[in-house]
Amino acid sequence: MFTPRTTDPTHCHQGITESYFCLSGSISEHDVGVYAPGSLILNRPDHPHRITANEREPALLADAWVGHPEKLPTQKMTFSRQPRR
Ligand SMILES: [Fe+2]
């Protein structure tokens, strides 16, 4: 669940394909396009992506990772910049 205007910062998943299925609300990826309920976004392994929720309503997404069984348990999100302190 993303509250309005929430952004999942730019990151990638090493060796993992990630898919987002929009269940309610709407989102954009890299501020390009609007993905309404029923939309599917597919991010290939190592592909940087940033998800932002609509500014007026929350967005509910189903998220799935697919990859080699050895990579899934140890998977970490790799951010393009360090968190603010
Ligand atoms: Fe991701």
Side-chain angles (χ1 to χ4, degrees), residues 8 11-13 18 20 43 47 49 51 63 65 77:
D8 191 10
H11 65 280
C12 63
H13 307 277
E18 181 179 52
Y20 294 99
N43 290 305
H47 173 75
H49 52 283
I51 303 291
D63 183 27
W65 287 358
M77 291 171 49

Side-chain angles (χ1 to χ4, degrees), residues 1-21:
M1 173 69 81
F2 284 60
T3 59
R5 289 185 267 175
T6 297
T7 295
D8 191 10
T10 302
H11 65 280
C12 63
H13 307 277
Q14 296 176 347
I16 301 293
T17 296
E18 181 179 52
S19 56
Y20 294 99
F21 186 75

